[in-house]
Amino acid sequence: MLAVSKVAAASPVSSFYIGPLERCSVRRLLSTSATRFNAKCGPTGIVFMNMGGPSSVEETHDFLYQLFADNDLIPISKNYQPAIAKWIAKFRTPKIEKQYREIGGGSPIRRWSEYQAKKVCEILEETHPQGAPYKPYVAFRYARPLTDETYKEMLKDGVKRAVAFTQYPHFSYSTTGSSINELWRQIKQLDPQRTIQWSTIDRWPANRGLIDAFAENIEAKLLEFPESVRDKVVLLFSAHSLPMDVVNTGDAYPAEVAATVYHVMSKLNFKNQYRLTWQSQVGPKPWLGPQTAKIAEQLAPTADGLLFIPIAFTSDHIETLHEVDLGIIDESPHSAKLKRCESLNGNETFIRGMAEEVKEHLESAERYSKQLPLDFKLGKSNDPVQDLDEMFQPTKA
């Protein structure tokens, strides 16, 4: 098989003597051979890492506890954070349970994440057979399946090579950094012999599929406005905010979100006015602004239309379905001219873009981005990864 491959590559006339059907057969044979070879070493795991959300109302308390107990996300106190997290979770659970009931009885993040990961793996089987077979996984930071549950499943499945693919396209130490720290803790506890070799896609704000999918969804939603005002609709790109004490550490998140917004607007030829705004602030501490709700309240009375775009989210969840839809839009006296762009969810352009991101990552043999060491140098954690090279080791031959 190697000889056939070398002849085909070396001879400029080889394709003349091999017809289309024969070329397809050769490609299938090469793909099958690569798959069989890699199958002996176990499948390649493609692990979608995200915050997650309670799939049912009953999971809300545990989700809130895990979230407030994470010192990377909410740096309260190393010694007292678990106790404080229990109190906050108990206090907030009734309110958040009500919100999940109002959006259908739970978060759709798991359903969409599993669907997206499955589709990405199916595409990779065709576009990058060298790593086949591929097996999709989801590892949530605060909801099931938690990172340790997913890791145990991967060990059981015999995975030997895995890509930790963050589903936060824009890096923040409090989100992607937290997931990487948690993954390292589980590696040390569950896989000290390092049977699984890891690499990570830790950011992808300019991914072509991501940009094109947002542009597609925006253009489709603009068609729902009267033709006379479509070009006058203000686009409000809304991302989850960060506390200013996190921003002031030099966190990459604001700049990377802004980069995605600019790429999307370039795709749209800047035909509408736009702003980047921030949502989901909690507590008395200063947060990154301006707040989405306040800008909407200011602009709505005189605007021809406002279109909200959930730019930092890869699927629907409580921040889109409840905070924006049921809160900002439905409660506005100007709701008739306020709309939200569809989330990425099952968008085929987006899923193809993610598959291409993984393919390029595997072909480059990159273990992590060049920015990640600086992210970890600036980030603050009580239990961080100390050596990224130790965590993300070179792939064995």
Side-chain angles (χ1 to χ4, degrees):
M1 188 55 60
L2 182 59
V4 171
S5 172
K6 286 183 177 179
V7 169
S11 173
V13 297
S14 60
S15 60
F16 179 81
Y17 295 102
I18 302 177
L21 292 178
E22 288 83 358
R23 288 200 298 272
C24 289
S25 297
V26 170
R27 283 198 297 268
R28 283 197 296 270
L29 186 57
L30 287 169
S31 172
T32 302
S33 298
T35 299
R36 288 174 178 169
F37 175 78
N38 199 63
K40 296 177 182 178
C41 302
T44 299
I46 306 301
V47 186
F48 276 34
M49 301 190 307
N50 206 337
M51 174 184 291
S55 297
S56 66
V57 173
E58 292 72 23
E59 296 177 33
T60 303
H61 177 273
D62 290 346
F63 166 75
L64 291 174
Y65 170 75
Q66 294 286 349
L67 188 150
F68 286 102
D70 180 10
N71 186 262
D72 293 344
L73 180 70
I74 305 172
I76 300 174
S77 165
K78 179 178 181 179
N79 295 326
Y80 299 107
Q81 187 139 356
I84 295 172
K86 288 181 181 179
W87 182 85
I88 296 175
K90 182 179 180 180
F91 175 77
R92 291 182 61 87
T93 291
K95 176 183 178 180
I96 305 303
E97 283 183 340
K98 179 176 181 293
Q99 293 179 355
Y100 278 114
R101 289 191 187 95
E102 291 172 347
I103 64 170
S107 172
I109 294 180
R110 180 171 183 173
R111 172 168 56 87
W112 282 121
S113 296
E114 290 175 342
Y115 174 83
Q116 293 165 349
K118 177 175 178 290
K119 290 298 181 180
V120 165
C121 286
E122 289 175 358
I123 295 172
L124 288 170
E125 295 281 348
E126 298 293 328
T127 61
H128 195 265
Q130 302 93 312
Y134 295 92
K135 190 166 178 60
Y137 298 91
V138 171
F140 286 153
R141 187 66 183 86
Y142 311 119
R144 302 192 67 183
L146 293 166
T147 306
D148 65 315
E149 297 173 311
T150 297
Y151 209 116
K152 291 172 184 175
E153 182 182 357
M154 295 171 68
L155 291 172
K156 183 179 179 181
D157 292 342
V159 172
K160 301 300 181 185
R161 168 83 169 88
V163 178
F165 188 8
T166 181
Q167 292 305 290
Y168 311 101
H170 319 97
F171 183 93
S172 174
Y173 190 82
S174 59
T175 54
T176 300
S178 176
S179 290
I180 290 174
N181 283 333
E182 177 63 14
L183 176 59
W184 177 235
R185 287 189 282 269
Q186 298 307 325
I187 289 173
K188 291 186 292 182
Q189 181 175 341
L190 300 174
D191 190 19
Q193 301 303 315
R194 306 303 302 274
T195 59
I196 300 177
Q197 288 183 296
W198 288 90
S199 64
T200 183
I201 300 172
D202 51 69
R203 73 200 69 217
W204 39 292
N207 175 272
R208 185 172 62 183
L210 177 75
I211 303 304
D212 289 351
F214 272 124
E216 289 173 8
N217 285 357
I218 291 169
E219 289 181 319
K221 203 67 177 180
L222 283 172
L223 293 176
E224 297 182 16
F225 289 88
E227 185 176 1
S228 60
V229 304
R230 280 175 201 158
D231 290 345
K232 301 176 183 177
V233 173
V234 177
L235 309 183
L236 293 182
F237 292 88
S238 186
H240 201 296
S241 188
L242 276 182
M244 284 305 299
D245 55 4
V246 175
V247 175
N248 290 336
T249 65
D251 197 89
Y253 179 73
E256 294 191 3
V257 175
T260 299
V261 171
Y262 193 85
H263 277 82
V264 172
M265 288 308 303
S266 296
K267 183 75 177 180
L268 297 172
N269 295 316
F270 295 93
K271 64 182 179 181
N272 291 76
Q273 295 179 332
Y274 72 99
R275 279 296 182 271
L276 170 56
T277 61
W278 308 88
Q279 65 179 87
S280 308
Q281 300 91 318
V282 294
K285 297 171 64 174
W287 284 63
L288 179 64
Q291 294 184 27
T292 302
K294 289 186 176 180
I295 292 296
E297 183 180 355
Q298 179 181 348
L299 295 179
T302 57
D304 292 291
L306 297 180
L307 178 57
F308 300 88
I309 302 108
I311 193 64
F313 307 114
T314 57
S315 69
D316 275 322
H317 50 81
I318 197 168
E319 278 84 1
T320 56
L321 299 175
H322 197 281
E323 185 176 353
V324 176
D325 290 356
L326 301 184
I328 296 174
I329 295 178
D330 285 1
E331 294 181 6
S332 171
H334 310 282
S335 59
K337 52 182 179 178
L338 309 185
K339 299 182 186 295
R340 178 176 65 83
C341 178
E342 293 298 319
S343 298
L344 298 175
N345 294 338
N347 184 291
E348 292 184 3
T349 301
F350 171 61
I351 291 172
R352 287 197 301 270
M354 286 196 291
E356 184 65 22
E357 191 76 29
V358 178
K359 175 177 177 289
E360 292 177 358
H361 173 78
L362 292 171
E363 290 176 344
S364 72
E366 182 180 72
R367 292 176 287 159
Y368 51 81
S369 76
K370 291 182 179 179
Q371 298 302 317
L372 197 61
L374 180 59
D375 295 317
F376 271 76
K377 184 176 182 179
L378 296 174
K380 296 179 180 179
S381 173
N382 284 329
D383 188 17
V385 174
Q386 299 292 342
D387 186 348
L388 290 168
D389 286 336
E390 182 182 2
M391 179 175 182
F392 301 114
Q393 297 175 341
T395 303
K396 297 176 183 177

